[in-house]
């Protein structure tokens, strides 16, 4: 007959984690056929339906890439919806300096993305590409080269603002280290 050993759950401090137990935890697997990863990311089966798929992170990203949250809304309505939903999460925005509450993967803000779009660059462009694109496009529409052209002056102002946004972001990144 086996002798009962001493429990590790006696005295102070408590030697095992709080809430720990010896029972096995149930793990939900990804609903994608053939995937054995943990399925902890819920995704709707169809719009306005309470039923959910449970995917792993990789398959949830793949599934959600086909959804357009702002489909059917014009630009103003989409901005209003986004503003209303951001109201609840302003604490994350305020904590972005800690690098855990920023948008998306934390590398670019929405303003930076708009600035990159104005310069005609991809989201992963480095600052040298930004500087080169800005100089090239600004030379084409500079007010000194096109005096009296209102459209060119407006485009130059847009490019200048986009460059300033990206330069400030680059300075912040360099300062953070």
């Amino acid at each position: 007959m086996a002798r009962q050993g001493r429990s590790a759950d006696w005295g102070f401090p408590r030697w095992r984690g709080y809430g720990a137990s010896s029972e096995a935890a149930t793990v939900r697997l990804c609903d994608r056929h053939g995937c054995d990863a943990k399925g902890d990311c819920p995704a709707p089966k169809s719009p306005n339906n309470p039923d959910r798929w449970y995917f792993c992170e990789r398959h949830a990203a793949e599934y959600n890439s086909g959804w357009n949250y702002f489909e059917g809304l014009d630009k103003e309505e989409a901005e209003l919806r986004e503003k209303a939903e951001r109201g609840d999460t302003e604490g994350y925005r305020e904590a972005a300096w800690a690098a855990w509450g920023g948008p998306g993967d934390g590398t670019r803000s929405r303003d930076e993305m708009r600035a990159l779009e104005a310069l005609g660059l991809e989201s992963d462009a480095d600052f040298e590409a930004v500087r080169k694109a800005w100089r090239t496009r600004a030379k084409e529409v500079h007010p000194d080269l096109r005096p009296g052209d209102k459209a060119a002056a407006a485009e130059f102002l847009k490019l200048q603002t986009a460059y300033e946004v990206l330069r400030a972001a680059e300075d912040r990144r360099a300062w953070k280290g």
Side-chain angles (χ1 to χ4, degrees):
M1 183 155 172
R3 181 175 168 192
Q4 179 67 19
R6 190 176 232 188
S7 169
D9 190 25
W10 57 274
F12 183 81
R14 187 172 169 163
W15 296 109
R16 65 181 171 94
Y18 290 100
S21 63
S22 58
E23 296 88 33
T26 57
V27 175
R28 184 181 188 113
L29 294 179
C30 180
D31 284 337
R32 180 60 61 99
H33 178 71
C35 183
D36 293 331
K38 182 178 175 184
D40 56 355
C41 299
K45 288 188 176 184
S46 63
N48 301 322
N49 187 346
D51 295 334
R52 301 279 187 250
W53 296 107
Y54 287 89
F55 294 121
C56 63
E57 191 173 337
R58 183 171 60 96
H59 289 124
E62 179 183 310
Y63 179 79
N64 289 333
S65 67
W67 289 78
N68 182 0
Y69 183 70
F70 300 108
E71 186 175 343
L73 300 176
D74 62 6
K75 186 176 181 180
E76 291 82 22
E77 291 173 333
E79 288 177 359
L80 284 174
R81 181 183 283 182
E82 180 182 4
K83 184 178 179 182
E85 292 184 2
R86 281 190 184 269
D88 295 338
T89 59
E90 281 303 310
Y92 294 108
R93 182 184 193 96
E94 293 170 8
W97 63 270
W100 59 264
D105 63 353
T107 58
R108 299 275 188 198
S109 69
R110 181 171 293 278
D111 291 335
E112 291 174 77
M113 294 302 291
R114 287 185 185 133
L116 287 169
E117 184 179 317
L119 292 172
L121 295 172
E122 295 294 323
S123 63
D124 60 347
D126 62 342
F127 192 68
E128 287 304 316
V130 168
R131 182 177 287 134
K132 185 176 179 181
W134 171 71
R135 288 180 61 85
T136 304
R137 302 233 2 236
K139 283 180 182 178
E140 297 169 359
V141 293
H142 197 280
D144 290 345
L145 295 176
R146 294 180 161 189
D149 188 355
K150 300 281 186 197
E155 179 69 17
F156 180 77
L157 183 62
K158 183 173 116 179
L159 293 173
Q160 186 66 25
T161 304
Y163 179 74
E164 288 172 5
V165 165
L166 293 168
R167 186 184 57 171
E170 183 65 22
D171 290 345
R172 277 193 308 274
R173 281 191 195 90
W175 181 76
K176 278 170 124 180

